[in-house]
């Protein structure tokens, strides 16, 4: 049994809820049942699709909410394509185990699913879940970088279903972003012009952060390799591909999709933009250059929008100096620029600095609350009870953010400018 499961009730810290990694799932649709509002005391049964490192972090958090956080929730079911992980989670939380997530979706005790699989399964699992009448917590990125058509289909299916969706960008629980968004709407900086953000971290979370559970693991009844591959290219089984999937382009995208949803989502939301017009990107493997790694460790992008707004996002896993400071998940504090002034954060205050020509003193606004993973989950549970789709990180916002990151990923890999055809809703290289 894992250390995470053996840990006694109530002893988890909030930082421990933020550990990373995951493995699981494949896809096919089920029939939905009508959504209904729940009372504050109604139990919400939660099923976990993927119980690797990240999935286990969510299991710990939900268990804490049940035992210490005064939320009427139940860990109803768990699913993973690797039986040893599945068995440990099922035993540790007394949950119903499934190796096929479609069986979990058919479980009447499951009202909400938490999806913590490799990236290329997210979109399919979300579609199947909402069609099965389940609400969804989905880890970022919402889809793999090559799955733009799936991203569009998933967003539409969530919208049609009326189900509640929350993306795992827990930074969106930070009250600063809503306050900055309101200031922009009120005209505090004048016409919005530019958003600057970034993500700086030191460490290779692919090789060192994703241990091989069993070097002798083989496909079979205890490891469903075909389910793991899903729509990815068919390849011979390899323990590194299975356990260290974040290193490979077939299943992950490097910092652009693994980390940047944490810093780009709020900038897109604050500025009120949707799909970019053009995106360019540069990067490469600049530090962690070894045989296994395919995804970049350094990646930067520029995105322009129809509203004559530009967003720049720069970052690397080779240096952790934030410059403007770190806010929550390791994301650099953004700067939001307009014709009349700029917004950023200093300490626990939002600072509005006016352009020099206006000759106005800066204004400061206390931040209501900081990032909190527990509150991110509580926001989702409250929305599930009220049947409110306006979660901290809803499906449409996830789609707009991921579109920019997909365009950047394509631009980087092809050495071209990615353009968005708004009429055809497609990316053109």
């Amino acid at each position: 049994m894992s250390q995470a499961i053996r840990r006694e009730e109530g002893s988890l810290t909030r930082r421990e809820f933020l550990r990373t990694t995951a493995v699981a799932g494949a896809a096919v649709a089920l029939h939905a049942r009508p959504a209904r509002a729940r009372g504050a005391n109604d139990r919400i049964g939660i099923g976990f699709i993927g119980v690797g490192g990240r999935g286990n972090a969510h299991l710990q958090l939900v268990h804490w909410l049940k035992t210490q956080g005064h939320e009427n929730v139940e860990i109803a079911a768990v699913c993973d394509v690797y039986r040893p992980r599945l068995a440990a989670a099922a035993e540790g939380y007394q949950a119903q185990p499934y190796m096929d997530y479609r069986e979990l979706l058919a479980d009447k005790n499951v009202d909400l699913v938490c999806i913590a699989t490799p990236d290329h399964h997210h979109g399919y699992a979300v579609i199947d879940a909402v069609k099965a009448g389940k609400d969804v917590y989905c880890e970022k990125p919402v889809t793999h970088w090559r799955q733009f058509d799936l991203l569009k289909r998933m967003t539409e299916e969530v919208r049609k279903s009326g189900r509640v969706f929350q993306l795992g960008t827990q930074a969106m629980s930070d009250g600063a972003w809503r306050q900055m968004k309101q200031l922009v709407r009120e005209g505090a900086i004048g016409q919005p012009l530019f958003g600057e953000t970034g993500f700086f971290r030191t460490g290779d979370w692919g090789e060192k952060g994703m241990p091989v559970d069993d070097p002798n693991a083989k496909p079979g009844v205890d490891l469903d390799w075909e389910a793991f591959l899903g729509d990815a290219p068919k390849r011979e089984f390899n323990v590194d591909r299975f356990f260290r999937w974040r290193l490979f382009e077939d299943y992950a995208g490097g910092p652009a999709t693994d980390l940047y949803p944490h810093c780009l989502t709020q900038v897109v939301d604050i500025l009120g933009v949707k799909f970019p017009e053009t995106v360019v990107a540069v990067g490469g493997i600049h530090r962690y250059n070894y045989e296994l790694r395919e995804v970049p460790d350094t990646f930067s992008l520029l995105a322009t929008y129809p509203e004559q707004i530009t967003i720049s996002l720069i970052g690397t896993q080779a240096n952790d100096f934030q410059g403007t400071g770190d806010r929550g998940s390791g994301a650099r504090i953004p700067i939001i620029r307009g014709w009349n002034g700029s917004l950023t954060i200093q300490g626990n205050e939002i600072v509005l600095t006016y352009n020099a020509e206006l000759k106005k003193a800066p204004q400061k606004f206390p931040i209501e609350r900081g990032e909190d993973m527990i509150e991110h989950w509580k926001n989702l549970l409250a929305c599930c009870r009220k049947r409110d789709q306006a979660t901290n990180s809803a499906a449409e916002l996830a789609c707009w953010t991921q579109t920019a990151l997909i365009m950047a990923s394509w631009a980087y890999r092809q050495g071209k400018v990615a353009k968005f055809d708004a009429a055809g809703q497609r990316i053109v290289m």
Side-chain angles (χ1 to χ4, degrees):
M1 189 180 299
S2 71
Q3 180 183 357
I5 295 173
R6 289 199 306 267
R7 194 181 295 273
E8 292 182 358
E9 290 182 8
S11 65
L12 300 176
T13 67
R14 293 177 187 237
R15 184 172 295 277
E16 287 174 315
F17 292 144
L18 303 179
R19 295 174 183 167
T20 56
T21 58
V23 169
V28 169
L30 298 176
H31 296 290
R33 64 188 181 196
R36 65 176 181 85
R38 295 184 179 88
N41 296 320
D42 286 355
R43 182 191 68 87
I44 296 178
I46 305 175
F48 293 80
I49 303 173
V51 292
R54 192 60 185 156
N56 255 297
H58 289 297
L59 279 163
Q60 293 173 54
L61 189 151
V62 170
H63 181 66
W64 185 90
L65 285 173
K66 175 185 175 182
T67 59
Q68 307 292 324
H70 310 294
E71 287 280 353
N72 189 5
V73 293
E74 187 69 35
I75 297 174
V78 289
C79 175
D80 203 287
V81 298
Y82 184 52
R83 196 179 302 275
R85 287 180 181 172
L86 176 63
E91 178 186 354
Y93 295 101
Q94 297 299 295
Q96 180 65 39
Y98 299 102
M99 284 194 74
D100 186 332
Y101 82 73
R102 294 166 295 186
E103 295 179 358
L104 181 147
L105 294 180
D107 189 329
K108 61 181 176 56
N109 295 313
V110 173
D111 306 298
L112 163 68
V113 297
C114 174
I115 299 166
T117 65
D119 302 355
H120 64 299
H121 290 297
H122 290 180
Y124 294 111
V126 171
I127 290 171
D128 292 349
V130 298
K131 286 187 173 181
K134 315 298 183 182
D135 296 321
V136 175
Y137 184 107
C138 180
E139 265 303 332
K140 51 75 204 162
V142 67
T143 65
H144 188 270
W145 59 266
R146 57 181 160 76
Q147 295 172 326
F148 179 61
D149 287 340
L150 178 66
L151 172 65
K152 292 189 295 180
R153 182 155 60 94
M154 186 221 75
T155 307
E156 178 61 15
E157 290 292 348
V158 172
R159 186 195 64 77
K160 289 192 306 184
S161 72
R163 307 312 305 186
V164 177
F165 175 95
Q166 176 89 288
L167 189 67
T169 46
Q170 62 269 13
M172 291 301 291
S173 63
D174 194 326
W177 318 132
R178 282 170 180 73
Q179 291 175 259
M180 292 171 81
K181 180 178 181 178
Q182 185 61 32
L183 286 167
V184 171
R185 284 182 170 179
E186 291 171 356
I189 63 171
Q191 174 66 34
L193 177 67
F194 207 91
E196 304 169 43
T197 188
F199 205 110
F200 294 88
R201 175 182 281 185
T202 303
D204 173 22
W205 274 261
E207 184 179 43
K208 296 179 181 178
M210 300 185 78
V212 173
D213 291 12
D214 179 4
N216 299 312
K218 302 289 183 185
V221 294
D222 292 335
L223 192 162
D224 192 339
W225 177 239
E226 291 301 315
F228 170 85
L229 288 175
D231 74 349
K234 303 304 177 187
R235 300 188 187 276
E236 293 296 319
F237 175 77
N238 177 284
V239 291
D240 288 307
R241 283 184 171 272
F242 186 74
F243 291 110
R244 292 172 169 168
W245 54 268
R246 289 188 192 275
L247 294 173
F248 301 94
E249 289 194 333
D250 288 349
Y251 326 115
T257 50
D258 188 29
L259 300 177
Y260 294 176
H262 287 307
C263 58
L264 182 58
T265 303
Q266 56 265 39
V267 176
V268 168
D269 195 40
I270 291 167
L271 289 169
V273 293
K274 297 181 180 179
F275 296 107
E277 279 187 331
T278 61
V279 179
V280 295
V282 293
I285 302 175
H286 293 169
R287 180 170 179 175
Y288 305 106
N289 191 3
Y290 51 87
E291 185 177 358
L292 285 178
R293 189 179 184 98
E294 296 177 356
V295 298
D297 57 31
T298 301
F299 194 93
S300 299
L301 68 92
L302 277 172
T304 64
Y305 289 83
E307 297 87 350
Q308 296 184 320
I309 291 173
T310 301
I311 294 176
S312 71
L313 195 169
I314 60 175
T316 184
Q317 291 175 264
N319 179 284
D320 60 11
F321 179 64
Q322 296 291 336
T324 57
D326 181 354
R327 183 82 184 163
S329 294
R332 171 188 267 188
I333 291 172
I335 301 173
I336 308 298
R337 299 178 185 271
W339 289 5
N340 297 334
S342 302
L343 292 169
T344 191
I345 294 172
Q346 294 177 3
N348 291 315
E349 294 179 314
I350 297 167
V351 180
L352 168 57
T353 303
Y354 293 98
N355 289 350
E357 64 184 6
L358 297 180
K359 298 179 180 180
K360 296 176 68 174
Q363 293 189 58
K364 296 184 178 181
F365 307 88
I367 296 172
E368 297 167 354
R369 64 179 185 277
E371 176 185 327
D372 191 324
M373 186 68 186
I374 292 172
E375 291 304 318
H376 198 52
W377 262 94
K378 285 190 169 185
N379 169 255
L380 170 63
L381 294 170
C383 288
C384 288
R385 296 186 188 284
K386 295 182 293 185
R387 306 315 309 157
D388 180 1
Q389 288 188 299
T391 61
N392 284 341
S393 201
E396 282 198 332
L397 177 58
C399 178
W400 298 329
T401 304
Q402 185 67 4
T403 298
L405 295 173
I406 287 174
M407 291 173 69
S409 297
W410 292 11
Y412 161 71
R413 285 167 175 82
Q414 297 184 36
K416 297 181 179 179
V417 176
K419 298 185 178 182
F420 188 74
D421 174 7
Q425 291 287 290
R426 64 192 183 102
I427 299 170
V428 179
M429 301 303 297

